[in-house]
Amino acid sequence: MASQPSSTTGRRPARLSRDSIVNAALTFLDREGWDALTINALATQLGTKGPSLYNHVHSLDDLRRTVRMRVVGDIINMLNTVGQGRTRDDAVIAMASAYRSYAHHHPGRYSAFTRMPLGGDDPEFTEATRAAAAPVISVLGSYGLDGENAFYAALEFWSAMHGFVLLEMTGAMNGIDTDAVYSDMVMRLASGMERR
């Protein structure tokens, strides 16, 4: 009878690629958080050694930047999907709810999204984050806002939603009906659009 391969080394690690590493990093972020993401920690999750990852990513900064860009793309796609065919209050409520849900279901990814300034020294990331506002700016057009007015209104919306989500995630709003408060906040912001 032929001998079976030894299983003492455990299962063989999955074949690595840049995409598989970035996908693993996204999963890692939601479980462990942004500050825990290192090349060695991610390699351990993948069942390999840190140097193996450097065949596919140049550095931890390269990995983190790629993760941020992927998250921005995911958020753009999500907002475009939920806003499709909707206008005004209907679109604003749908987008705000989807944004909040994303932050709660993907806390590590959400943290990655908010880690770099919108006007930082990475032009591609700056352009990507501005593109993330495009679906909201499009909806704000149904309130008669355009150009810089729509962009700044989108920033105001984002600031309010981000602040609310952070308060929820840190437990500062425990004991409060946050669904009702969030919906009311979004509708107050939307009604303000009418008067601008």
Side-chain angles (χ1 to χ4, degrees):
M1 188 169 172
S3 63
Q4 296 295 317
S6 169
S7 62
T8 56
T9 57
R11 65 183 179 88
R12 192 179 161 127
R15 186 173 175 89
L16 293 178
S17 67
R18 188 172 177 87
D19 273 351
S20 70
I21 291 168
V22 171
N23 289 335
L26 291 167
T27 301
F28 181 95
L29 282 177
D30 287 336
R31 190 177 63 247
E32 304 293 336
W34 178 259
D35 293 328
L37 179 62
T38 65
I39 293 293
N40 287 335
L42 185 58
T44 299
Q45 175 181 294
L46 289 166
T48 188
K49 303 285 186 192
S52 300
L53 272 61
Y54 288 116
N55 293 324
H56 307 280
V57 294
H58 303 300
S59 63
L60 179 60
D61 285 344
D62 174 39
L63 175 63
R64 288 183 165 184
R65 181 183 182 280
T66 304
V67 164
R68 286 188 194 104
M69 295 294 286
R70 176 79 68 84
V71 169
V72 170
D74 288 347
I75 289 173
I76 292 170
N77 290 338
M78 173 194 67
L79 293 176
N80 278 326
T81 299
V82 300
Q84 192 169 20
R86 301 174 190 260
T87 59
R88 300 176 65 86
D89 295 357
D90 182 38
V92 167
I93 291 167
M95 287 179 165
S97 296
Y99 181 88
R100 179 180 174 220
S101 178
Y102 182 91
H104 283 288
H105 285 94
H106 300 292
R109 298 177 202 201
Y110 184 72
S111 178
F113 174 62
T114 59
R115 285 287 174 141
M116 280 182 76
L118 296 179
D121 57 3
D122 183 335
E124 188 180 4
F125 184 77
T126 300
E127 184 62 31
T129 53
R130 277 189 164 257
V136 179
I137 290 171
S138 175
V139 166
L140 294 177
S142 63
Y143 290 98
L145 296 174
D146 60 9
E148 286 296 298
N149 285 334
F151 178 71
Y152 288 127
L155 281 179
E156 291 164 16
F157 256 101
W158 180 52
S159 299
M161 292 187 300
H162 177 61
F164 192 97
V165 165
L166 285 185
L167 288 171
E168 276 188 304
M169 293 170 91
T170 59
M173 289 195 170
N174 287 350
I176 295 172
D177 182 357
T178 52
D179 290 341
V181 175
Y182 188 74
S183 295
D184 189 53
M185 178 190 78
V186 169
M187 288 312 302
R188 285 176 194 271
L189 289 167
S191 68
M193 297 301 114
E194 301 259 37
R195 296 193 294 270
R196 288 175 79 127

